[in-house]
Amino acid sequence: MADSQEPTLADFAPDTDEIDITRTIRCKLQTSAAKNELVRQGIDAYQQVAAHMADVLPSYPAYEWNLQNTQMYHQSKRALPDDDTNYKTTLAQMAKNDVVESFTSWRERGQQGESPRGAFGDADYLTLRHDDCQVHENDRGWGLKTSFISYNRVWFHLQPGNYQREFLSRVTDEDDPASAGSCELHFQADGTLYAHLTVTWPVEVYKPEDVTTTVGVDLNDDPLVCMAVVTGDTVETVEMESGSEYRHHRERVKKRRAEAMRQNNLKAVKETRLQYRRYTDHITNVASQRVVETAAAHAPAVINLEELTDYRETAEDPIHDWPFAEIQEKIAYKAREEGIPVQKIDPRNTSVTCRMCGETNPTFRDEREFNCGSCGYEVHADVNAAINIAHGGIS
Ligand SMILES: [Zn+2]
């Protein structure tokens, strides 16, 4: 759920005044055998009703698919045994609404893709809407008041870490615009219970045309990131994030991987893949954080990124599998939270055009050096490119 909601660069609309940021936080619940049993029964009842509704809904004409339809409600209660009165009302209602909504949106998409039928029946969690789960603060911290059983609210004390605590204090602070939305109750394999709670807050985004400072970001192997902060014709600062540590780490992991494959040690092969993924994740976090912090320090500023083109991704280039796209996605994701717009610019000739005199010539660039044969300007090649990117590319 959290992953599918992450915004991508393509979702980012820099001309919006205000956007909603939504994050899903996972928080452990203090529970008991009795409460776990209630949740377990709740999940089973919900899935049973949802599976039944997903079976019968397609046999009703589409105009009957609405949340107020009492016939649907009675239909949904049929899936539960008569003695299950405690669960019936709320859970049947919840399951029915979820099924009706997902079938309706499927129909509105022209019934493209798979029918939502498969999503109901086997899932191992319970989705609670905002009305059925509320976060409250008390002298012990925070708790979740759930009402998935009619007339019987179940209270769970929350056990947040520092990260979760920050969000919980925001949603219970009346002066903070952050609010909690729906929540899912998940059992881990070991029986611990977690709430996946969505938190939403609005962020003001300034428009690129109202801003004069631009952060141009050039991505490469080493430096991994080169940023130029430019206001009008003035280059305010240039910053670099080294990529050499990352390259060495990759080489070490590649060697270990080749050795493991030679020995046919599949476990070790898998371990090297994980090591590589973790380190890449770490490096792309650090690099993207640095870019967004730089832009925030020069706010209001716009971040300019190069459009990643096919030729760059498929080039006969030893670094073609570097995580350029991943760094860009993370920059966009973090910039969004700060209300910093991100623009993509045409990368053509940004690395072979002199940022001083505007002359374009591939021979001016030699690896890390840029030497303009026209005006004599000399600079690190990535700095020249980052400044061109900050100016919006070469027109
Ligand atoms: Zn020049």
Side-chain angles (χ1 to χ4, degrees):
M1 172 171 158
D3 291 342
S4 64
Q5 284 185 349
E6 313 276 278
T8 65
L9 204 54
D11 294 334
F12 195 90
D15 53 350
T16 346
D17 292 332
E18 196 178 273
I19 54 169
D20 281 335
I21 306 287
T22 298
R23 292 282 178 271
T24 303
I25 59 162
R26 281 175 80 249
C27 194
K28 197 175 170 187
L29 300 177
Q30 199 176 74
T31 184
S32 64
K35 286 180 186 176
N36 280 356
E37 184 52 28
L38 289 174
V39 175
R40 176 51 63 201
Q41 286 177 27
I43 290 173
D44 291 347
Y46 173 93
Q47 295 296 337
Q48 210 174 325
V49 175
H52 172 70
M53 285 309 292
D55 281 339
V56 301
L57 198 68
S59 64
Y60 283 90
Y63 63 82
E64 299 258 26
W65 300 6
N66 72 67
L67 301 183
Q68 278 72 44
N69 190 335
T70 49
Q71 202 185 346
M72 290 288 162
Y73 176 57
H74 292 300
Q75 180 64 262
S76 68
K77 289 211 295 187
R78 250 171 247 163
L80 292 172
D82 278 340
D83 54 346
D84 247 345
T85 47
N86 276 342
Y87 287 97
K88 254 185 167 170
T89 325
T90 315
L91 281 166
Q93 191 83 268
M94 278 166 33
K96 186 241 342 168
N97 289 350
D98 289 349
V99 172
V100 168
E101 280 181 0
S102 49
F103 271 85
T104 301
S105 85
W106 179 59
R107 198 187 68 214
E108 283 165 358
R109 292 194 309 270
Q111 307 204 341
Q112 276 171 0
E114 252 177 79
S115 149
R117 172 64 190 92
F120 299 104
D122 301 324
D124 195 25
Y125 60 85
L126 189 58
T127 307
L128 303 175
R129 291 172 188 231
H130 177 61
D131 293 343
D132 299 318
C133 71
Q134 275 148 15
V135 178
H136 292 275
E137 192 173 11
N138 62 18
D139 50 7
R140 286 181 60 214
W142 291 274
L144 197 62
K145 189 156 79 179
T146 64
S147 49
F148 59 94
I149 307 170
S150 311
Y151 313 113
N152 182 7
R153 301 199 148 177
V154 187
W155 169 271
F156 297 95
H157 184 65
L158 290 161
Q159 299 182 304
N162 287 336
Y163 176 78
Q164 290 87 349
R165 196 164 285 146
E166 188 191 317
F167 285 98
L168 293 172
S169 59
R170 289 188 63 187
V171 300
T172 47
D173 177 355
E174 281 179 17
D175 297 328
D176 193 306
S179 60
S182 64
C183 171
E184 290 175 1
L185 298 183
H186 286 253
F187 275 113
Q188 300 288 94
D190 64 359
T192 49
L193 187 59
Y194 277 84
H196 295 190
L197 185 69
T198 60
V199 177
T200 302
W201 68 95
V203 168
E204 300 269 333
V205 179
Y206 41 83
K207 297 181 181 182
E209 59 266 30
D210 297 336
V211 179
T212 52
T213 299
T214 308
V215 181
V217 180
D218 183 59
L219 300 179
N220 224 315
D221 60 340
D222 194 11
L224 186 59
V225 174
C226 179
M227 297 172 262
V229 181
V230 174
T231 305
D233 289 331
T234 310
V235 178
E236 300 199 21
T237 181
V238 169
E239 290 188 30
M240 292 184 184
E241 184 73 33
S242 167
S244 60
E245 197 193 322
Y246 181 54
R247 191 175 53 212
H248 290 144
H249 181 86
R250 271 169 62 107
E251 278 162 13
R252 279 197 304 274
V253 172
K254 267 186 183 167
K255 264 185 211 148
R256 242 176 280 151
R257 184 176 156 79
E259 179 65 14
M261 285 174 86
R262 202 179 55 75
Q263 294 175 346
N264 211 10
N265 184 345
L266 293 181
K267 201 176 156 214
V269 171
K270 198 174 161 193
E271 182 55 32
T272 56
R273 201 178 299 137
L274 278 175
Q275 281 170 353
Y276 175 57
R277 181 87 289 274
R278 275 196 294 265
Y279 196 70
T280 302
D281 207 39
H282 165 70
I283 283 294
T284 53
N285 277 337
V286 169
S288 56
Q289 187 68 32
R290 177 109 188 254
V291 170
V292 174
E293 275 170 9
T294 302
H298 292 86
V302 174
I303 296 173
N304 278 6
L305 302 176
E306 289 180 289
E307 189 76 56
L308 291 178
T309 51
D310 290 341
Y311 78 81
R312 185 164 185 171
E313 281 164 10
T314 56
E316 285 284 320
D317 186 328
I319 58 158
H320 73 276
D321 62 338
W322 273 51
F324 295 125
E326 188 173 325
I327 295 174
Q328 288 199 344
E329 294 287 343
K330 286 184 175 177
I331 290 172
Y333 182 82
K334 290 170 189 181
R336 221 177 128 96
E337 285 196 352
E338 302 287 334
I340 298 169
V342 173
Q343 303 182 125
K344 285 216 172 174
I345 62 114
D346 186 342
R348 263 175 299 178
N349 293 333
T350 51
S351 64
V352 292
T353 299
C354 174
R355 71 103 172 167
M356 291 300 252
C357 71
E359 191 74 16
T360 300
N361 189 328
T363 64
F364 293 172
R365 182 180 184 170
D366 183 18
E367 305 250 321
R368 305 253 189 285
E369 296 295 312
F370 186 90
N371 296 302
C372 179
S374 182
C375 74
Y377 177 62
E378 286 183 23
V379 71
H380 190 295
D382 291 349
V383 171
N384 182 64
I387 295 169
N388 283 331
I389 293 166
H391 283 306
I394 307 300
S395 50

